[in-house]
Amino acid sequence: VSYSASPIRVPAQVSPAFLCSLQQRDGKYGSSQKQELGIIFFSRLNPKPFHSFHCSICLSYCKIIGMALTRHLRKILPSSPKSLPFSQQVLEQCHRPQNPNSILAGLIQSNALGISRTPHTRTYMSEMRKSAFQDKMLRLLRNEIQYELDHFPPKQPVTSFGPFILVDKPGEQWIRLKRTFSADEDIKVEASMFDAAIPAPKSSGVDSKENVQLHITMVVNISKPGDDDVLEIMCSAWPDTIEITKVFIRSTKNMPAKPYVGPDFKELDDELQDSLYEFLEARGIGDEIAVFLHEYVKNKGKTEYIRWMDTVKSYMEKS
């Protein structure tokens, strides 16, 4: 857009929202007077003489600014007549600030634009932002829950594995398997969810889509009625095999704070290692339980993930 006068430097405070708010306001002064006052305002922004416009948009902006200025003039001159000689002299006499930016600041301070800056308004805006954030969080949680249920729904969990009874409490990261062996041994197996991983060997037969082998910590406790000592065997359950890592006796009475748990299992004699693996297999703890645990924990992970999201969603809905 071009006009005969030099370019106008409109202050940064005159935003489109500011102009739109002024357009919706009615003043007591005529359109030509408001436009004249706006031209005076803009002329103060430009050091060069402000000649004439050939642009209706620029004239409209002058009219809009003039509307706000007339409102401000009515406040500082409450007894002034309806028609005022809008000129450079009137503007300078009725408004003390000589800087056009100060004039606009005066309009804001006098609330000529109808802008409320009360603490109640700030609190309201804060609540609006909080509500928008919560709505977004709830929407994302609902979408994620629905996506998991549609594409990766968890299976109904089993309650046993061979002679073992499975105990799984919702929200816990450990599962337990219990059984009685030879009428005088109570066997309890505690297994964690996936807690580590290693790169998968190329010859391991693991699905090529997964480049890691997931790890489950498994603790076997074997006790006898009336005996305070418990045989504890710590194992690593890999996707298709178990690996013993520690073997020691734990006492239920007078247990040291940091007991000696023996050497690393791989440092033991090979025949002793083999005999301990056979000892576990006789009690139903072999490579098959590792395969079972990986399938079970994988399904449990889906269930717990959906439960976790639903718990967070319920909390957000109450707040």
Side-chain angles (χ1 to χ4, degrees):
V1 180
S2 62
Y3 43 83
S4 60
S6 57
I8 301 174
R9 295 193 300 276
V10 180
Q13 294 93 327
V14 184
S15 63
F18 168 77
L19 296 175
C20 291
S21 67
L22 293 181
Q23 279 181 321
Q24 298 173 358
R25 298 179 176 273
D26 295 327
K28 294 183 179 180
Y29 302 96
S31 298
S32 60
Q33 294 170 331
K34 296 172 185 176
Q35 180 174 300
E36 180 183 352
L37 186 58
I39 291 174
I40 293 173
F41 176 76
F42 277 127
S43 67
R44 292 166 66 89
L45 300 177
N46 196 24
K48 296 183 179 181
F50 200 82
H51 299 294
S52 60
F53 285 96
H54 294 290
C55 173
S56 60
I57 296 177
C58 294
L59 290 173
S60 298
Y61 278 10
C62 288
K63 178 180 176 181
I64 292 169
I65 296 299
M67 291 169 60
L69 289 171
T70 54
R71 279 182 169 273
H72 190 57
L73 288 172
R74 286 199 303 274
K75 287 193 174 184
I76 62 176
L77 295 174
S79 60
S80 60
K82 180 176 180 180
S83 298
L84 289 175
F86 289 99
S87 63
Q88 182 72 21
Q89 291 78 12
V90 172
L91 185 62
E92 290 179 353
Q93 293 175 3
C94 297
H95 202 77
R96 294 181 181 178
Q98 299 300 311
N99 186 348
N101 291 336
S102 299
I103 297 175
L104 191 58
L107 289 172
I108 296 174
Q109 292 176 359
S110 64
N111 201 22
L113 309 182
I115 300 174
S116 176
R117 295 179 178 272
T118 62
H120 176 72
T121 302
R122 290 193 294 268
T123 303
Y124 178 73
M125 295 300 295
S126 178
E127 290 295 329
M128 287 183 61
R129 287 192 292 268
K130 180 181 177 182
S131 177
F133 170 76
Q134 289 180 341
D135 291 343
K136 181 179 180 181
M137 286 288 295
L138 288 171
R139 175 173 54 82
L140 293 174
L141 286 169
R142 293 190 188 102
N143 291 343
E144 184 66 16
I145 291 173
Q146 192 60 46
Y147 178 83
E148 290 292 328
L149 292 175
D150 292 342
H151 296 83
F152 308 101
K155 302 175 184 177
Q156 185 67 26
V158 298
T159 58
S160 64
F161 170 72
F164 288 92
I165 298 174
L166 194 145
V167 179
D168 182 8
K169 295 182 179 180
E172 289 191 357
Q173 297 192 50
W174 287 76
I175 60 175
R176 297 166 183 84
L177 295 91
K178 299 180 179 180
R179 68 163 298 188
T180 300
F181 180 75
S182 299
D184 62 347
E185 283 187 4
D186 293 326
I187 302 175
K188 181 175 66 175
V189 179
E190 294 182 316
S192 70
M193 296 181 67
F194 298 127
D195 57 4
I198 61 171
K202 295 182 180 180
S203 59
S204 64
V206 177
D207 189 350
S208 59
K209 295 181 180 180
E210 298 182 2
N211 298 322
V212 296
Q213 283 185 320
L214 298 175
H215 175 269
I216 294 175
T217 298
M218 188 175 72
V219 182
V220 181
N221 291 320
I222 302 175
S223 61
K224 296 184 177 182
D227 193 348
D228 295 333
D229 294 333
V230 177
L231 175 63
E232 189 160 293
I233 304 175
M234 301 188 66
C235 306
S236 291
W238 299 104
D240 55 1
T241 185
I242 64 169
E243 178 183 344
I244 300 175
T245 57
K246 291 285 183 179
V247 179
F248 62 97
I249 301 297
R250 179 172 57 82
S251 177
T252 57
K253 291 184 179 180
N254 301 323
M255 186 67 177
K258 294 183 179 180
Y260 175 70
V261 295
D264 188 80
F265 184 77
K266 292 182 178 180
E267 297 178 2
L268 299 177
D269 181 77
D270 291 343
E271 292 185 5
L272 180 56
Q273 292 184 37
D274 293 340
S275 64
L276 285 171
Y277 277 113
E278 293 173 0
F279 175 83
L280 288 180
E281 288 180 359
R283 287 156 177 78
I285 304 171
D287 294 340
E288 295 80 6
I289 198 171
V291 176
F292 166 77
L293 286 175
H294 272 257
E295 289 296 323
Y296 187 90
V297 169
K298 184 178 180 180
N299 185 66
K300 178 179 172 63
K302 296 178 182 179
T303 304
E304 294 298 339
Y305 176 54
I306 294 174
R307 180 181 290 112
W308 172 81
M309 288 191 296
D310 190 63
T311 303
V312 176
K313 179 179 70 69
S314 299
Y315 180 84
M316 296 289 290
E317 288 173 341
K318 291 187 296 184
S319 59

